[in-house]
Amino acid sequence: MAAAFRIGIDLGTTHTVLAFAPVVEDDIQVFAVPQSVAAGEVAPRPLLPSLRFHAAEGALAAADLPLPWPSDEPAILGAFARELGQQTPGRLVASAKSWLSHPAVDRTAAILPWGAPDEVPKVSPLEASASYLRHLRRAWDRAHPGAPLAQQATVLTVPASFDDGARQLTLQAAALAGLGAVHLIEEPQAAFYDWVFAHRNDLARQLAGTRRLLVVDVGGGTTDLTLIEVALDAAGRPQLARTGVGDHLVLGGDNMDLALARWIEPRLSGGPSGGPSDRQLGAIQLAQLTQRCRSAKERLLAPDGPAETTVTLQGGGSRLIGGARSAPLTRADVDRLLVEGFFPQVAADARPRRARGALVEFGLPYASDAAITRHIAAFLQRQGGGLPDTVLLNGGVFHAPALRERLLATLRAWQPAGAPPIRLLDTPRLDAAVARGAVAYAMARAGSAPRIRSGAARAYYLALEDGQGICVLPHGTPEGETVRLDARRFRLRLGRPVRFNLATSAADLRHRAGDLAALQDGLQRLPPIATVLEPRAGAAGEVQVTLDARITEVGTLEMHCVAVDGAVDGADAPPQRWELEFQLRGDATAPGADAPVAAHPRLPEALAAIARVYGDRKQAVDAREVRQLRATLERLLGERATWHAALLRTLFGALLQGARRRRRSPQHERAWFNLAGFTLRPGFGDPLDGWRMERMWELFGPGIAHSDDSQQWSEWWTLWRRIAGGLDAEQQQMVYEAVAYYLQPPGGTDIAAPEGPSMQALDELLRMAASFERIRPADKVRFGQWLLQRLRQRPTHELWWALGRLGARQPLYASLHHVLPPATAQDWIAQIAAIAPDWARHEAAAFAVAQIARATGDRARDLPEALRLRIAEQLQAAHAAPGWAAMVREATMLDEADQRRVFGEALPPGLVLLRG
């Protein structure tokens, strides 16, 4: 069935809007989505994506609020859900789109509502997003039974700065919701599409004098910046091209609501003394206060809003009424906090501050600098420093005149004296512009509306080993257009790891596809793509290929290696193709984007030394040479703590080739365990580490060949501790369950003894198990209690290290939802204080406490502030390292010494953990 409508969906952080236009017309309308409201009524208001789960006995459930269509949704959605969330803290899922782009959590895991009690059912960011879209689909299908949404031409909007992972998750959410094929468009572009469509009949006059247009889109969860260049064709018609996209900023209306909540929190009255309280709210109460501040902000900033309102925070349980606390909030307060906090007047060369600010809450990675004007200044500097002559503002925050006026005044202050003032385009539909623009984009794709060219803002080059690069995609290549390098031939290795290095230039160097360029001519290297391309049927170990490339609609460079000899299945079959997909949204100057590290001059000798011990040669190798292999490598390459990541992975490759020959003798096996773990640590960080870990996991089943030696076991456990970060949750759980019997205290009966020979080297076994950050929380809690029982019997450095690692507030590599609850951490700290009350005499115990009480800025993970401050004072009194007390007081980065202590040894140079 042919599509009857063109659909645009703005899956916003604080509201979701569906706009549509019949295919045969050009009238864009906004669809009124029914809400879940009391008594089965239908409120014709746009859907507000808030999701509320009910598990407590007697709680209101979705079944109590029947919808006009059959639904098995276990949640209440919409504006009513948001209102309920203000009354029933801990059950509201909001900002799901921000979570969808959160790189430090598993976005497919059931982790929301963040920080909610265990008895509250959880949902993943992916499923929450799908729920909104499913609600939209059912509402639309009921209103248009002859034109189901799955059969319409649908466009979903995403932030311009969404990386490829977040975009793919958005498409997955659409599929889970039962939508058909959808296209994506960036939200700032969609907002401008709406403006262009509204002025399509006199666009040339409307854009007269406009050559560089800046779109500032401040939504509920993100701030997006986009540059659009305007040129005139021979007939004087405007030609529009998007040329620049800003970094991903989790900075928007949510941050503003949180800033208001943080400001009003100490001013709340009605506590036990009747006056303001200095007691910090818990994560759930702060979330409730933030929701109430959002409602208060919207009332105060409305055109006919009051000058002052009262923000009330309900009590909990039996104190629901009597425990209520309140504080006044005025329009002047809101203007001052939001204008000066988020839109300060700064210089044109300002840059965002890197200091960690107060706006780090609820587990979301909010921008450390909340000043949007500083982010705009830095963005324009990266785009060459030229100022825009026209600005389009989008997002609900710009309903407030004070914010619009301050931003425009700041931009105009950057202009030279006498320049025409920057023009502000009129945007009367801030809440619906993005959804309407998505429909206009669908029209433009069909050729019935003006189109913005989203070509390559950079040229891309495939870096060669001789210092040159081949242009694979010229500057300005239109989106979706495939560029073929038919005149170039390459040799491609199949079935083994290969690395492709990419370089880019923001300047148009006028290179055509296939041209050679010197990489030092203003080109920046991007992080490489490393992969293993598997042979297809009939393909040899090496094949001759040519390349083709294009910019996809989700902003990635897609390249294919195409076999020049065609397919092996017959002359009429298409040629064999291997796909490479580069992510271009990252920062080209990020760590790891530099030129490859030069190979060590004595690396060939080191590889030969490994080959002599683990090679395929028949002659015996002297046992002394095996034992001294590590010393030999250090003599050739220097102290091994200085071996950089690239060198380590090269050595691991040689060791992996000899993995089958590690069983020749106990000395062979011990040395191999030691060196393999050291050269692959921490199991992640290099593009090919996933493939390497797959090869290593194949070795876990066979286990130790020479198992009668405790030193053998020690090296075996150390190997898996070093690379634990490369094991997924299922693998870690499997290893944990295999060794759990030996983790319990002597005489423990919680776990039955396994079959087979007894495991040895229990200290290293405990350290390995404590490094498994992805095991089930219940197992972590029980393991922690076992460790505390062992510590009461015989405190050791290894046991303190294991307990601190297990209860750490900030994981080294796992998703944040794997962190143990604060209540468990508090209980452990109380037990530690009983076991080792004098931290001056027990340094290892003091560091364990510092890890378990460490501040993260996320109240769902942090211990109560008063307790943390007491612990920090105790650490200072015990003359512990100054950094330990500091990390308990406030969120800080670990220094090199503490990072080494947490990990168990130094990380490879070039692999620096930047979590938290």
Side-chain angles (χ1 to χ4, degrees):
M1 178 188 296
F5 295 93
R6 296 188 176 100
I7 306 291
I9 300 176
D10 175 15
L11 186 63
T13 301
T14 57
H15 66 278
T16 294
V17 179
L18 185 152
F20 67 98
V23 169
V24 295
E25 302 176 18
D26 60 1
D27 178 30
I28 301 178
Q29 306 171 51
V30 174
F31 179 57
V33 183
Q35 299 299 293
S36 301
V37 294
E41 298 172 359
V42 174
R45 294 181 291 174
L47 176 71
L48 297 176
S50 303
L51 192 85
R52 183 176 184 267
F53 282 86
H54 306 269
E57 185 177 355
L60 189 63
D64 300 323
L65 303 170
L67 290 163
W69 55 82
S71 176
D72 56 358
E73 191 69 59
I76 298 169
L77 292 93
F80 188 49
R82 189 173 75 168
E83 294 165 10
L84 287 172
Q86 297 182 26
Q87 304 167 26
T88 315
R91 295 178 177 275
L92 180 72
V93 174
S95 305
K97 188 170 72 172
S98 296
W99 284 98
L100 208 60
S101 62
H102 193 337
V105 300
D106 181 352
R107 290 161 278 185
T108 64
I111 60 175
L112 301 178
W114 186 252
D118 291 342
E119 65 270 14
V120 175
K122 306 293 195 303
V123 66
S124 71
L126 176 63
E127 177 54 36
S129 300
S131 295
Y132 310 153
L133 293 172
R134 191 180 301 117
H135 187 83
L136 278 174
R137 177 180 62 78
R138 288 169 174 166
W140 172 273
D141 290 352
R142 180 175 182 273
H144 303 85
L149 191 60
Q151 297 177 10
Q152 309 311 306
T154 302
V155 176
L156 281 176
T157 67
V158 293
S161 53
F162 253 26
D163 64 17
D164 190 46
R167 292 172 186 237
Q168 292 300 331
L169 286 169
T170 302
L171 294 175
Q172 285 185 40
L176 288 172
L179 273 62
V182 300
H183 287 89
L184 301 181
I185 183 175
E186 298 166 353
E187 289 164 3
Q189 264 202 91
F192 187 52
Y193 260 114
D194 181 51
W195 187 92
V196 168
F197 185 79
H199 299 88
R200 62 193 181 282
N201 295 325
D202 62 342
L203 194 59
R205 183 180 66 83
Q206 291 287 339
L207 291 177
T210 295
R211 293 298 174 264
R212 198 177 209 214
L213 185 142
L214 172 66
V215 181
V216 181
D217 183 8
V218 183
T222 58
T223 289
D224 269 321
L225 306 173
T226 293
L227 272 179
I228 294 175
E229 302 289 342
V230 182
L232 301 179
D233 63 12
R237 292 178 299 234
Q239 301 298 305
L240 312 172
R242 186 215 62 201
T243 57
V245 174
D247 293 335
H248 183 59
L249 296 174
V250 184
L251 177 60
D254 285 351
N255 304 69
M256 298 179 187
D257 303 331
L258 177 58
L260 293 174
R262 294 292 296 266
W263 180 82
I264 212 169
E265 179 182 7
R267 294 167 172 80
L268 290 170
S269 63
S273 64
S277 171
D278 59 358
R279 182 180 175 185
Q280 192 180 57
L281 297 175
I284 292 175
Q285 282 187 305
L286 181 64
Q288 181 190 21
L289 180 61
T290 302
Q291 293 292 330
R292 292 191 173 273
C293 285
R294 171 179 295 165
S295 298
K297 176 195 70 177
E298 292 171 353
R299 287 197 302 273
L300 291 170
L301 295 181
D304 56 350
E308 180 176 320
T309 188
T310 299
V311 177
T312 300
L313 181 65
Q314 299 285 1
S318 61
R319 294 178 54 82
L320 183 63
I321 304 299
R325 302 160 63 189
S326 61
L329 183 66
T330 68
R331 188 185 304 168
D333 294 331
V334 174
D335 282 347
R336 176 174 50 82
L337 289 167
L338 301 191
V339 171
E340 297 303 330
F342 291 84
F343 295 92
Q345 288 187 304
V346 299
D349 60 354
R351 291 188 176 276
R353 296 171 180 169
R354 293 191 176 273
R356 192 178 181 90
L359 292 178
V360 182
E361 291 286 358
F362 309 134
L364 286 170
Y366 290 142
S368 58
D369 189 343
I372 292 171
T373 43
R374 274 194 282 269
H375 290 287
I376 294 173
F379 168 67
L380 293 175
Q381 292 171 58
R382 289 195 300 272
Q383 300 301 318
L387 293 176
D389 48 50
T390 307
V391 174
L392 175 76
L393 303 181
N394 188 64
V397 301
F398 290 119
H399 281 301
L403 302 185
R404 292 197 307 269
E405 293 163 4
R406 169 56 69 86
L407 177 54
L408 191 59
T410 302
L411 290 171
R412 287 174 175 170
W414 298 345
Q415 293 184 280
I422 292 174
R423 175 188 172 204
L424 178 64
L425 296 183
D426 181 44
T427 50
R429 294 180 294 263
L430 288 171
D431 291 328
V434 170
R436 291 172 54 89
V439 179
Y441 169 64
M443 293 177 175
R445 285 175 54 85
S448 57
R451 183 156 191 182
I452 303 169
R453 183 168 60 87
S454 300
R458 293 172 171 266
Y460 294 93
Y461 301 80
L462 186 65
L464 306 177
E465 294 180 358
D466 59 1
Q468 290 188 303
I470 291 180
C471 180
V472 294
L473 198 85
H475 190 284
T477 301
E479 179 184 282
E481 180 177 302
T482 299
V483 175
R484 292 183 171 83
L485 276 65
D486 292 328
R488 297 286 183 183
R489 295 288 188 272
F490 304 87
R491 187 170 62 249
L492 178 66
R493 185 172 60 174
L494 301 175
R496 297 187 59 189
V498 288
R499 181 188 299 264
F500 299 85
N501 295 295
L502 200 65
T504 181
S505 171
D508 187 356
L509 302 178
R510 307 294 179 184
H511 288 132
R512 295 173 300 177
D515 285 355
L516 285 171
L519 290 183
Q520 62 267 27
D521 291 347
L523 301 184
Q524 288 182 306
R525 290 182 180 268
L526 291 174
I529 181 173
T531 187
V532 178
L533 300 176
E534 298 297 341
R536 308 283 173 84
E542 286 188 349
V543 294
Q544 251 193 58
V545 298
T546 186
L547 299 177
D548 65 33
R550 71 184 184 102
I551 290 286
T552 70
E553 290 180 341
V554 295
T556 55
L557 173 64
E558 184 182 274
M559 288 177 53
H560 286 90
C561 299
V562 184
V564 297
D565 295 332
V568 297
D569 297 328
D572 295 332
Q576 290 188 321
R577 300 167 64 85
W578 292 267
E579 181 179 346
L580 309 171
E581 194 165 19
F582 293 86
Q583 175 50 241
L584 307 179
R585 299 276 169 188
D587 184 353
T589 62
D594 300 328
V597 180
H600 194 286
R602 303 195 72 177
L603 176 60
E605 296 174 69
L607 297 177
I610 294 173
R612 279 196 301 274
V613 174
Y614 296 107
D616 203 14
R617 304 193 313 173
K618 302 288 186 181
Q619 64 267 34
V621 180
D622 182 76
R624 183 167 172 271
E625 185 175 0
V626 178
R627 287 195 303 271
Q628 294 185 348
L629 177 58
R630 169 181 162 179
T632 300
L633 295 177
E634 290 197 270
R635 177 175 55 79
L636 294 170
L637 304 174
E639 186 180 351
R640 70 177 188 167
T642 66
W643 297 352
H644 56 73
L647 175 59
L648 288 165
R649 295 308 190 259
T650 301
L651 295 174
F652 176 80
L655 290 163
L656 187 62
Q657 288 184 355
R660 288 186 293 110
R661 292 173 284 280
R662 72 188 186 280
R663 295 167 170 260
R664 286 174 171 168
S665 72
Q667 293 83 4
H668 278 84
E669 190 173 50
R670 249 192 330 269
W672 195 92
F673 288 163
N674 181 283
L675 288 169
F678 187 83
T679 54
L680 187 54
R681 76 192 200 288
F684 62 96
D686 183 85
L688 276 170
D689 280 349
W691 178 84
R692 295 183 180 106
M693 287 300 302
E694 289 177 6
R695 306 286 82 76
M696 285 298 295
W697 182 244
E698 294 170 359
L699 306 181
F700 181 79
I704 303 174
H706 307 277
S707 59
D708 53 350
D709 186 340
S710 64
Q711 192 175 352
Q712 217 79 355
W713 285 95
S714 179
E715 294 292 356
W716 174 247
W717 303 132
T718 301
L719 160 67
W720 294 104
R721 172 179 61 79
R722 283 170 164 164
I723 64 174
L727 297 174
D728 62 28
E730 183 179 355
Q731 292 167 337
Q732 287 192 3
Q733 192 67 38
M734 187 181 303
V735 177
Y736 175 84
E737 291 174 359
V739 303
Y741 170 78
Y742 298 94
L743 302 178
Q744 58 189 346
T749 58
D750 292 342
I751 305 293
E755 298 179 357
S758 296
M759 297 178 181
Q760 303 179 41
L762 297 188
D763 282 346
E764 285 303 325
L765 170 59
L766 287 165
R767 282 162 56 86
M768 176 204 70
S771 300
F772 288 173
E773 296 181 351
R774 297 186 174 112
I775 61 174
R776 288 192 294 261
D779 288 324
K780 281 189 179 183
V781 172
R782 182 164 62 171
F783 184 17
Q785 292 300 334
W786 290 342
L787 289 171
L788 287 163
Q789 290 177 44
R790 285 178 176 270
L791 283 163
R792 291 189 188 95
Q793 299 166 6
R794 186 176 64 91
T796 67
H797 179 278
E798 289 77 15
L799 291 174
W800 287 123
W801 182 93
L803 187 66
R805 189 82 165 77
L806 199 64
R809 300 293 85 201
Q810 181 64 53
L812 285 183
Y813 58 82
S815 171
L816 297 179
H817 76 279
H818 288 288
V819 174
L820 290 175
T824 300
Q826 286 182 251
D827 176 58
W828 288 8
I829 288 174
Q831 295 188 58
I832 291 171
I835 296 169
D838 187 357
W839 294 345
R841 296 178 52 196
H842 296 88
E843 184 185 55
F847 187 66
V849 169
Q851 285 203 82
I852 297 170
R854 181 181 174 186
T856 67
D858 175 10
R859 294 194 197 185
R861 287 181 285 152
D862 285 349
L863 274 59
E865 185 179 38
L867 175 60
R868 287 191 289 104
L869 293 177
R870 272 202 315 275
I871 292 171
E873 291 174 0
Q874 290 175 274
L875 289 170
Q876 275 188 308
H879 304 290
W884 299 0
M887 78 166 72
V888 173
R889 282 198 185 94
E890 58 185 359
T892 61
M893 298 291 291
L894 292 177
D895 61 25
E896 185 176 347
D898 287 339
Q899 188 182 88
R900 186 184 312 117
R901 187 187 289 263
V902 170
F903 184 67
E905 60 190 313
L907 288 168
L911 281 178
V912 179
L913 293 172
L914 296 176
R915 303 295 300 275

